[in-house]
Amino acid sequence: MGFSQDNLKGFVLALSSSAFIGASFIIKKKGLRRAAAASGVRAGVGGFSYLLEPLWWLGMITMIVGEVANFVAYAFAPAVLVTPLGALSIIVSAVLAHFILNEKLHQLGILGCVMCIAGSIVIVIHAPQERPITSVQEIWSMATQPAFLLYVGSVIVLVFIMIFYFAPQCGHSNVLVFTGICSFMGSLSVMSVKAVGTALKLTFEGNNQLLYPETWFFVFIVATCVITQMNYLNKALDTFNTAVVSPIYYVMFTSLTILASVIMFKDWDDQNVGNIISEICGLIVVLSGTILLHTTREFERSSSFRGSYASLSPTLSARLCNGNGEFMKHEEENLLPDEAVFFQRQEMH
């Protein structure tokens, strides 16, 4: 695939964005730990003391910088190209977690990171060119087509079910609940971000799109989705291991965003079967890499990993559902002494 100038700009911006976002995971988690140790209430159980923690705000600013770069990238390149580059944020997050949070990254974890990068490269190489869009009303017609409205309706129903039923029941024992809410809302936010970014791009080129109510509706959707994402991402980061939350969130978010983009913007309509198959294969490689990165962290904590492979039979879903106890034990190993004492006392009550 030959890169157009717009695709190249989107590519560079997406790479920069992933670096900032990957680092923000680590900075925010350090802030969450400090806030929990100081206040006695963790974000994962409804605490908001992290809002008074400067380190958390530094992480938030870092994430905002990354999101702004990502926002601009979507104005220049299709979501199928921009979104998979989020794999770099996994690498940054996992490596920094290894050195800063003592969340060890072992050989199979490194292999998982390499697979994420390789799969993303394949997707980028075969990604479609950005379609020329002349007005926000053109995007609105795409957003109101029956197929995409069906997708939006399904997402809203699933998110409400997860928030009001699954989150209270198993949100703190199943990593897929909080990350699933973030990912579903994220797929809608990306579509709206692309709409707003394109509207601003056209406005700066002299074709004012701020006069249309559709532009401000997309702005409202972006704000709603981002606020929801941030709330549940904080819960996920505070409850589970960073090197687990990051890749799982990436897998779900990327898959759903590509699906939403294919439905709304018809990204695959002008591509041949070979390119589409290559993109799907690249996505499968990324999924495999992130799953490997996740399972490695549990295998390394089990004694059977060093001696026998017989214990590797439990399914991934079983590990995810039963992972909270293991994650919390590992988190306690990584806490500062005062923090560990505090959380042990909390568990006793």
Side-chain angles (χ1 to χ4, degrees):
M1 179 194 76
F3 265 16
S4 65
Q5 285 297 317
D6 280 353
N7 272 24
L8 182 59
K9 291 176 182 177
F11 175 77
V12 173
L13 286 166
L15 285 179
S16 303
S17 167
S18 295
F20 280 105
I21 292 174
S24 75
F25 274 96
I26 307 305
I27 300 172
K28 287 175 69 179
K29 178 128 188 183
K30 291 285 287 185
L32 288 169
R33 286 184 176 180
R34 286 190 183 181
S39 69
V41 182
R42 302 177 63 186
V45 293
F48 293 95
S49 59
Y50 59 84
L51 294 175
L52 301 177
E53 173 56 50
L55 190 60
W56 184 87
W57 281 107
L58 176 61
M60 194 66 184
I61 292 171
T62 305
M63 176 169 281
I64 290 172
V65 172
E67 292 294 350
V68 169
N70 200 48
F71 176 92
V72 179
Y74 281 113
F76 289 97
V80 175
L81 168 62
V82 175
T83 306
L85 293 177
L88 178 60
S89 67
I90 297 177
I91 312 305
V92 173
S93 179
V95 171
L96 291 180
H98 177 84
F99 290 106
I100 297 176
L101 301 179
N102 295 321
E103 298 176 2
K104 299 302 180 183
L105 182 64
H106 299 281
Q107 284 85 353
L108 288 180
I110 295 173
L111 176 61
C113 292
V114 171
M115 292 175 67
C116 289
I117 295 175
S120 294
I121 290 174
V122 172
I123 295 174
V124 167
I125 290 174
H126 296 278
Q129 297 288 344
E130 173 74 334
R131 281 188 174 188
I133 297 175
T134 58
S135 71
V136 72
Q137 292 174 317
E138 184 178 343
I139 301 178
W140 179 258
S141 66
M142 297 177 184
T144 54
Q145 60 185 303
F148 189 69
L149 288 177
L150 177 62
Y151 175 80
V152 172
S154 301
V155 166
I156 292 174
V157 170
L158 287 172
V159 166
F160 270 92
I161 292 174
M162 284 190 287
I163 290 176
F164 294 107
Y165 180 77
F166 287 108
Q169 295 288 331
C170 56
H172 293 86
S173 62
N174 190 329
V175 69
L176 296 179
V177 177
F178 292 151
T179 54
I181 295 171
C182 293
S183 301
F184 277 114
M185 297 301 289
S187 68
L188 297 184
S189 70
V190 167
M191 299 303 101
S192 300
V193 161
K194 185 169 180 63
V196 175
T198 303
L200 291 176
K201 177 186 174 185
L202 292 171
T203 299
F204 290 138
E205 291 174 352
N207 184 6
N208 191 356
Q209 301 296 305
L210 302 181
L211 301 175
Y212 300 107
E214 291 87 350
T215 299
W216 297 106
F217 179 80
F218 284 125
V219 170
F220 171 76
I221 297 299
V222 170
T224 302
C225 291
V226 168
I227 291 172
T228 305
Q229 282 178 265
M230 289 301 98
N231 181 38
Y232 285 94
L233 182 58
N234 282 330
K235 291 179 182 291
L237 285 172
D238 189 60
T239 305
F240 301 100
N241 192 296
T242 305
V244 172
V245 172
S246 299
I248 291 178
Y249 176 47
Y250 170 75
V251 168
M252 298 177 70
F253 171 73
T254 300
S255 302
L256 291 169
T257 298
I258 289 176
L259 175 61
S261 184
V262 167
I263 295 173
M264 179 173 172
F265 291 99
K266 310 294 184 185
D267 290 330
W268 285 350
D269 282 9
D270 296 330
Q271 288 197 289
N272 58 46
V273 176
N275 281 333
I276 294 174
I277 292 176
S278 296
E279 290 175 38
I280 294 174
C281 290
L283 182 59
I284 292 173
V285 171
V286 173
L287 296 176
S288 301
T290 53
I291 291 173
L292 178 62
L293 182 59
H294 166 69
T295 53
T296 296
R297 304 194 62 79
E298 291 193 50
F299 295 162
E300 289 290 343
R301 290 195 295 274
S302 67
S303 57
S304 58
F305 179 77
R306 296 178 177 84
S308 170
Y309 290 95
S311 64
L312 305 187
S313 58
T315 63
L316 174 61
S317 60
R319 293 191 193 101
L320 292 176
C321 291
N322 296 326
N324 189 54
E326 292 297 323
F327 291 143
M328 295 312 298
K329 290 177 184 176
H330 184 64
E331 286 295 273
E332 287 180 6
E333 292 172 2
N334 293 333
L335 293 175
L336 297 173
D338 291 342
E339 295 177 80
V341 171
F342 164 72
F343 290 128
Q344 287 169 2
R345 289 175 178 172
Q346 289 295 100
E347 290 175 0
M348 290 175 63
H349 295 290

